[in-house]
Amino acid sequence: MSGSPPPEGGFVRRVGLFQATAINMSQMCGIGPFVTIPLMVAAFGGPQAVIGFVAGALLALADGLVWAELGAAMPGSGGSYVYLRQAFQYRTGRLMPFLFVWTAMLFIPLIMSTGVVGFVQYLGYLAPHLGQTTGDLIGLGVIVLVLLLLWRGIENIARITAVMWAVMIASVLLVIVAAASDFSPHLAFTYPSHAFELTGGHFWLGFAGGLTIGIYDYLGYNTTAYMGAEIKDPGRMLPRSIIYSILGIMAIYLLLQIGTLGVVDWHRMTDPNDIASTSVASAVLEKTWGKGAADTVTVLILITAFASVFTGLLGGSRVPYDAARDRVFFRPYAKLHPQHRFPVLGLATMGVVTAIGFLIGRHTDLATLIQLLTTVMVLVQALAQIAAVTVLRSRQPGLRRPYRMWLYPVPSLVALVGWLVIYGYADKNSPGRHPIEWSLGWLVLGCVAFLVWARLEKVWPFGPKEIVEEYLTDPEAEPASA
């Protein structure tokens, strides 16, 4: 693909495989495992919590193959927006892509806000007397800094991302090596009685909670799909970046989880007054290599957290662009920066929502924020996108598919069951929080907003459906594989 701007002045394909994989891995890892290892242990009630990371990896890989097929066939900016627009236009017009953008403008920045919450949480290890107000101001400052760094061309951002990816790898490797240097198999593999008892419901409730935390830790494997219009040779690079990043992060998470459990007694991770419950990686370094090493690695973890927010807003801010350009979302979101070619309003809006989510997370708890963003995401993105693979194979059999899902439809079914388990157990894992009700309320509000918008635009159900099968005739599409 040419690196020059297309005739219409849209995005430029300048991101290669290494940079694409780095973007995914930086977004996936980030602060996630460093703050959720104690949450995972609490969900399972012991070192058997490693099951949660394995289950999360399997769900991410199954769902990643859905993203890989759709992204390779339709490499446009916006990810799910593009796929849902193509698949469901035949029956419901623009409803599904509108609802996706509506929910994405909430759940994507909520994911980023958990990264900022984790940033401030680990900063508390370096500054143990950090007050609530000071922590809030620091978190908001981090968000502003991310926005300033993203206010530039994609080629500069790709270089910044590669550096941050290297820091992320360094931080996790140092924690893994430190854990290995003082590893106790007795701590890591001594399980409570009835840890694997499958009757009575306790194990499965913990499994559902652990699966939710696990998939949260893997979220980001699809970041480059949102940037499909900026990826070189997307028919090949998108699937590879997704699969490589999931496998790489899975190995890192398993080493982190097992290594941490072999150094820090899991009971400490469930004690809210113990530093291991909020800064478990720092606790590992302090016990193995001393306070100085713990401080140094904590700084690297803070950079890693920053990188995850950076790459998440980079990909997420592209979501409203195609929708607005196609008149499925508010039209001002279709404007790109005249010089650097990035979506100005999408980036600014998600930055504001990230700040709001950060403040909510700081004044409630991280687990609640994870439950809310997950349930909001499941209905319109995860489940609808799984259906979109089958719908498009039926509706557009001639669509060029450089990558076809392995063992179709098995990965789709595995992903479907996994997401339904997460959604169905959401309220049981968050008593009194009602994340399912909140997600359904947001979806209903989105339907109302769509009807108002459709009435103004005079489109279905207040006008004719517009069927546009643009990728069937895309001259840049890759030839289909056997």
Side-chain angles (χ1 to χ4, degrees):
M1 298 294 178
S2 172
S4 59
E8 69 273 16
F11 289 125
V12 181
R13 296 192 185 278
R14 290 179 177 167
V15 180
L17 177 60
F18 174 77
Q19 293 167 333
T21 305
I23 287 172
N24 281 348
M25 291 183 70
S26 296
Q27 171 56 18
M28 291 168 72
C29 188
I31 196 68
F34 296 119
V35 295
T36 58
I37 285 176
L39 296 180
M40 189 77 81
V41 171
F44 278 90
Q48 69 273 24
V50 69
I51 295 172
F53 283 115
V54 175
L58 293 176
L59 175 54
L61 189 58
D63 196 54
L65 296 183
V66 173
W67 282 88
E69 175 166 325
L70 294 174
M74 296 167 286
S77 171
S80 293
Y81 161 74
V82 177
Y83 319 146
L84 300 183
R85 181 190 66 201
Q86 288 294 304
F88 297 105
Q89 60 183 329
Y90 303 97
R91 291 187 179 274
T92 57
R94 303 180 186 180
L95 173 63
M96 290 305 295
F98 182 95
L99 287 178
F100 166 72
V101 178
W102 175 265
T103 55
M105 295 294 284
L106 178 63
F107 73 74
I108 290 176
L110 284 182
I111 295 173
M112 300 310 102
S113 67
T114 63
V116 186
V117 170
F119 181 97
V120 176
Q121 192 170 303
Y122 262 82
L123 187 62
Y125 178 80
L126 299 177
H129 301 295
L130 187 70
Q132 180 77 28
T133 300
T134 303
D136 291 348
L137 292 176
I138 290 174
L140 294 175
V142 166
I143 296 170
V144 170
L145 179 57
V146 167
L147 294 178
L148 291 176
L149 288 176
L150 287 173
W151 215 266
R152 60 193 69 241
I154 186 65
E155 65 277 8
N156 297 319
I157 290 174
R159 287 192 289 268
I160 294 173
T161 300
V163 173
M164 290 184 176
W165 179 82
V167 173
M168 182 270 291
I169 292 296
S171 64
V172 296
L173 285 180
L174 284 171
V175 176
I176 291 170
V177 172
S181 69
D182 191 24
F183 183 78
S184 168
H186 176 75
L187 283 177
F189 303 115
T190 300
Y191 306 106
S193 60
H194 311 300
F196 301 102
E197 185 175 302
L198 304 184
T199 59
H202 178 75
F203 174 86
W204 294 111
L205 187 61
F207 178 85
L211 182 62
T212 302
I213 296 168
I215 195 60
Y216 159 78
D217 282 325
Y218 285 96
L219 289 179
Y221 55 86
N222 49 18
T223 300
T224 48
Y226 290 125
M227 303 168 60
E230 298 166 87
I231 304 295
K232 296 177 182 177
D233 194 7
R236 294 178 178 85
M237 298 304 179
L238 268 176
R240 292 179 184 180
S241 70
I242 291 171
I243 294 170
Y244 292 171
S245 60
I246 292 172
L247 295 178
I249 290 295
M250 176 180 66
I252 289 172
Y253 283 177
L254 292 179
L255 290 172
L256 273 175
Q257 174 77 75
I258 296 172
T260 299
L261 288 168
V263 174
V264 177
D265 189 324
W266 68 269
H267 294 91
R268 292 182 56 193
M269 301 183 198
T270 60
D271 182 356
N273 298 317
D274 195 304
I275 192 65
S277 67
T278 56
S279 307
V280 68
S282 302
V284 169
L285 266 297
E286 183 175 321
K287 183 176 180 182
T288 54
W289 292 351
K291 186 66 166 60
D295 289 346
T296 301
V297 174
T298 300
V299 171
L300 295 180
I301 291 173
L302 293 177
I303 297 173
T304 299
F306 184 89
S308 71
V309 179
F310 180 89
T311 54
L313 286 179
L314 166 64
S317 63
R318 269 65 178 167
V319 172
Y321 172 76
D322 260 353
R325 188 182 60 178
D326 295 342
R327 296 187 301 110
V328 179
F329 203 60
F330 304 105
R331 298 186 185 186
Y333 285 89
K335 294 181 180 179
L336 295 176
H337 191 280
Q339 179 182 355
H340 299 305
R341 316 305 300 168
F342 67 86
V344 177
L345 192 55
L347 179 59
T349 302
M350 288 199 174
V352 171
V353 179
T354 299
I356 295 172
F358 162 72
L359 293 175
I360 293 173
R362 283 276 292 169
H363 294 273
T364 55
D365 60 83
L366 187 59
T368 296
L369 204 55
I370 291 174
Q371 288 286 356
L372 177 59
L373 70 89
T374 305
T375 51
V376 169
M377 180 184 66
V378 165
L379 292 178
V380 180
Q381 182 185 58
L383 300 186
Q385 193 163 276
I386 291 168
V389 171
T390 301
V391 170
L392 285 169
R393 286 200 176 201
S394 174
R395 288 283 192 175
Q396 297 186 18
L399 180 67
R400 291 171 178 145
R401 292 176 172 87
Y403 170 82
R404 291 177 181 270
M405 181 190 301
W406 301 336
L407 302 176
Y408 174 84
V410 175
S412 292
L413 297 177
V414 171
L416 176 65
V417 172
W419 288 118
L420 287 176
V421 167
I422 287 173
Y423 193 79
Y425 278 84
D427 274 347
K428 292 183 179 180
N429 290 329
S430 300
R433 303 294 189 182
H434 307 295
I436 289 180
E437 287 82 352
W438 280 105
S439 68
L440 292 175
W442 185 255
L443 184 62
V444 170
L445 189 60
C447 290
V448 173
F450 171 77
L451 291 175
V452 173
W453 174 86
R455 183 71 177 180
L456 294 173
E457 294 286 339
K458 295 182 173 58
V459 298
W460 183 91
F462 303 105
K465 295 176 185 174
E466 298 178 11
I467 307 300
V468 181
E469 298 174 327
E470 61 182 286
Y471 289 95
L472 285 175
T473 56
D474 183 0
E476 292 191 342
E478 303 288 339
S481 61

